[in-house]
Amino acid sequence: MKLLWFVFGILLIGQLGEGQNEGLVKEKLEEPAVNEQTEGRGDVVIKVEEPEGPGADVSQPDDRQPCAMWMGGVPGTPGHSGKPGRDGRDGRDGPRGEKGDKASIFGVGEPGEKGDPGEKGDVGPAGPRGFPGNPGLKGTRGESSQSYHSAFSVGLSEIVSANNLPIRFNKFFYNDQHHYDDVSGKFRCNLPGVYFFTYHLTVYTKDAKISLYKNDKAIMFTYDQYQEDNVDQASGSIILRLEAGDEVWLQVYGDETVGGVYADNTNDSTFSGFLLYPDIPVPARRR
């Protein structure tokens, strides 16, 4: 079917060419002389001459006529694509654009308000031990240790004559702070803290019952039964916590039958006490 259409097209083109040739022949016969025509093809001039004589055969086509007078050929195949040309030169830089807003530059909007603090995280592992720091500044001078001393040691110079009253020791071995009062026979606490008390009493001529008091309350008792023609010793010791103003003393506890506390030039009865460690106020402690 395609072949028939192709043959039909060739015949049609041939008929169109013959019709054009006849028209050209008629124009040549009608022109009496040679005409020069200049068409809009640049500088090309086409000359047409009239036949030389009446016997000239005007039906024959001239070899110099356009190819359109002949039968058209079969269209050729398209040619191959040519190689790409070279890259052109770089163009000039364009004008600088306007400055964009913050959101377009960084891709984010304006900063929002500060959020609430998050929950406290877990404690991390201990880091490596650091280098020793520089020595600190020298601290201020602290209070003297002498201000926390309290001690006494006293004795009797004669037999105790009164019962149920503080024994007044009137022989002083040590009482530099004057915390023991020989008039009242009592030790008065000036420095709160822990104290140690002890006593050694000579018992002679009759039994002895002695008690240690703290603020009008008997804390401990010592009883010694006298042996005839013998000198005995009654002793005791205790540790007490005292506040400032507390008082401690010894006295015979009972009637005259138990008041055998004795002392002379060769037999002593003593009462002693001292501060073991004070209750130092917090501001006075060295940090």
Side-chain angles (χ1 to χ4, degrees), residues 46-86:
I46 301 174
K47 295 182 179 181
V48 180
E49 298 179 357
E50 65 181 26
E52 296 178 355
D57 187 3
V58 297
S59 63
Q60 297 296 326
D62 192 355
D63 294 335
R64 293 174 296 178
Q65 296 300 319
C67 63
M69 298 176 59
W70 300 93
M71 181 181 298
V74 179
T77 58
H80 297 287
S81 299
K83 296 181 179 180
R86 296 181 179 178

Side-chain angles (χ1 to χ4, degrees), residues 14 22 46 107 134 174 193 222 227 265 280:
E22 291 180 359
I46 301 174
N134 297 325
Y174 180 86
T222 301
Q227 301 294 328
N265 294 333
I280 303 174

Side-chain angles (χ1 to χ4, degrees), residues 8-19 21 68-72:
F8 179 76
I10 293 175
L11 295 176
L12 182 61
I13 293 172
Q15 292 179 359
L16 292 174
E18 291 179 358
N21 291 335
M69 298 176 59
W70 300 93
M71 181 181 298

